Structure formats: structure tokens, C-alpha cells
């Protein structure tokens, strides 16, 4: 699967995003080319996992891969529960923050080679991360590759019935915005429409945040059970902060 590099590069090199994560607050936005601003909830992402997050984490099964983990509140909460969890993010500031909270994280795009491919029990796409890459079908396809057969994907969707592909820039509304990159915004109905070949495993809204749970096909030649030790040791073998966002196997 080839990476949509524009998205990964834009987040990885976005100074306003890194600065907001370091400060623990916004304002920070995704700005569409028509000037429309989508506020990013940096304060919530930098806080501890809240009731709604914890409910999502209660639903996770086995080993968990948090895709686009940001500053790592979910990774830290799962790690504190003694769960096997890895966060991945293209932003160095996000990975550093996650590691400081006591979580394991890799600086890596979801479209690059990852540890435990085809063996994760749960993949998380939270806080609008179904938008990563701007191509929901490609992202769902990649999630299916990462999960074990019959694995669980939990995705947070937009609180509106939308299905849009946009080009956005990250901006704090003061400094000049960086390069435009593709992003997608999807409500639950749209995500379910794109999820051909997945089984519906749940749909709920909590605290005004909608979620969809999907189960990947259970037929595959690599139907091996997940190996917790193998996943964790392959994570430990890599140092998060020194890594390039470009994959190295
Ligand atoms: C909308 S924010 C969500 C933040 C996050 N879920 C949290 O808990 O703070 C999107 C996150 O996805 C990351 N990201 C963007 N493109 C990515 C990619 N291709 N692979 C992995 N992470 C990516 C960004 O760096 C950013 O941290």
C-alpha cells in the first residue's frame, strides 16, 4: 500500500501543531481552501482520557494500535491498565509526548510498514482520524491489513451526516499556514457506506461524539492468534524519537 505522503508530511512538519502540543493548548485549526476553519481540540487531546474515551477503551480487545495517537492520552490510559498498546503518529512532538506519558509510540505513517501487521486485535481511529490520507477506503483497507482476521476497528466519526474530501492546512490563525494536504470528514453513515467487506460491530454516541465499530473479515490465510510478546518486543526494538517519518524496515 503506498502512502499518501502529503498528509503525513504536513502533520509531521507543522510547527503550529508541534507548538500546540508542547503548550497543551490551541487555538489550532484545519483550514479549508474556502477559509472555513475546523477547530482542533488540542486541550482535550492533551488532557487525560475522559469518560467517553474510557468507554471506547473498555470496548477494545487484546492488543491495540492507536493510529494517529497525537499526544497519547489513549495510549497512556491503556498502558496504565496493563494493556499491550502502541501509538503511531507522524508528528515527533506527538510521539515524544506519548512516550513522556509512559506509552509506547513510533514515529511512523499508518501507510508505512508497522510492527505486528495482520496481528493487531484492535485498531483505533479516534478524534477524526478517519480523515487521515483523505481517502477513507484506502485507510479502511490499510486498517484491515493491520488487524488480525476478525479484528476490531473503532472509529470516531463526524457529528454530522457528511462525506467530504477536502484539502486543508494546519493553522493557528496567526502564522502562515503550511502546505495543503488531503483530509476527509465522514459521519457514521458515510463510514458504514465505505466499509464494504467489514461487519458492523456497533454504533453509538457518547458526549456528543459518534463512534462506529467494525469487524474485519475473519477469513485469511494468516489466521494466527496475536502474539503479545512478539508485538511488544518489536515495538521496543525501535526508538521512537530518533526515527524518520519515512519508513525503514
Ligand atoms: C486529528 S489529530 C488526532 C489526535 C489524536 N487522536 C489525539 O488523541 O490527540 C490527527 C493525528 O494524526 C496524525 N497523523 C496524520 N497523518 C498520519 C499518518 N499518515 N499516519 C499516522 N498518523 C498521522 C497527526 O500527526 C495527528 O497527531
Amino acid at each position: 500500500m503506498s502512502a499518501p505522503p502529503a498528509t503525513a508530511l504536513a502533520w509531521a512538519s507543522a510547527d503550529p501543531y508541534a507548538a500546540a502540543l508542547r503548550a497543551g493548548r490551541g487555538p489550532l485549526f484545519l483550514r479549508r481552501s474556502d477559509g472555513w476553519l475546523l477547530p482542533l481540540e488540542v486541550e482535550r487531546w492533551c488532557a487525560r482520557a475522559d469518560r467517553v474515551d474510557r468507554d471506547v477503551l473498555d470496548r477494545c480487545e487484546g492488543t491495540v494500535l492507536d493510529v494517529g495517537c497525537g499526544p497519547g492520552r489513549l495510549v497512556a490510559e491503556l498502558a496504565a491498565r496493563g494493556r499491550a498498546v502502541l501509538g503511531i503518529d507522524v508528528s515527533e512532538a506527538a510521539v515524544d509526548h506519548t512516550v513522556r506519558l509512559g506509552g509506547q509510540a513510533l514515529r511512523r505513517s499508518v501507510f508505512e510498514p508497522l510492527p505486528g501487521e495482520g496481528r493487531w486485535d484492535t485498531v483505533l481511529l479516534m478524534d477524526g482520524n478517519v480523515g487521515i490520507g483523505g481517502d477513507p477506503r484506502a485507510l479502511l483497507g490499510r486498517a484491515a491489513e493491520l488487524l488480525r482476521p476478525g479484528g476490531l476497528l473503532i472509529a470516531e466519526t463526524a457529528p454530522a451526516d457528511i462525506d467530504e474530501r477536502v484539502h486543508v492546512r494546519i493553522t493557528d490563525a496567526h502564522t502562515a499556514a503550511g502546505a495543503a494536504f488531503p483530509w476527509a470528514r465522514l459521519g457514521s453513515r458515510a463510514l458504514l457506506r465505505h466499509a464494504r467487506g467489514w461487519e458492523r460491530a456497533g454504533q453509538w454516541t457518547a458526549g456528543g461524539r459518534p463512534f462506529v465499530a467494525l469487524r474485519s473479515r475473519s477469513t485469511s490465510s494468516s489466521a494466527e492468534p496475536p502474539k503479545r510478546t512478539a508485538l511488544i518486543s518489536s515495538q521496543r526494538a525501535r526508538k521512537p524519537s530518533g526515527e524518520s517519518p519515512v519508513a525503514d524496515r
Side-chain angles (χ1 to χ4, degrees), residues 1-12 65-69 86-92 95 105-115 117 120 125 129 132-134 138-139 142-143 145-146 183 238 240 243-248:
M1 159 105 20
S2 63
T7 306
L9 273 177
W11 285 92
L65 181 69
D66 184 5
V67 171
C69 66
L86 176 69
I88 55 155
D89 203 291
V90 292
S91 155
E92 185 174 8
V95 168
L106 277 181
R107 190 176 180 200
R108 191 75 56 88
S109 166
V110 63
F111 296 103
E112 294 172 340
L114 291 170
E117 295 217 8
W120 293 97
L125 285 172
N129 285 356
I132 288 176
L139 187 59
R142 181 61 180 138
E145 284 177 356
L146 294 169
W183 194 251
R238 292 166 187 274
E243 286 201 341
S244 140
V246 179
D248 48 344

Side-chain angles (χ1 to χ4, degrees), residues 30-33 166-170 178-183:
L30 293 184
R31 192 176 76 194
R32 239 170 27 193
S33 47
V166 284
H167 275 82
V168 291
R169 295 167 198 271
I170 301 170
F181 60 92
W183 194 251

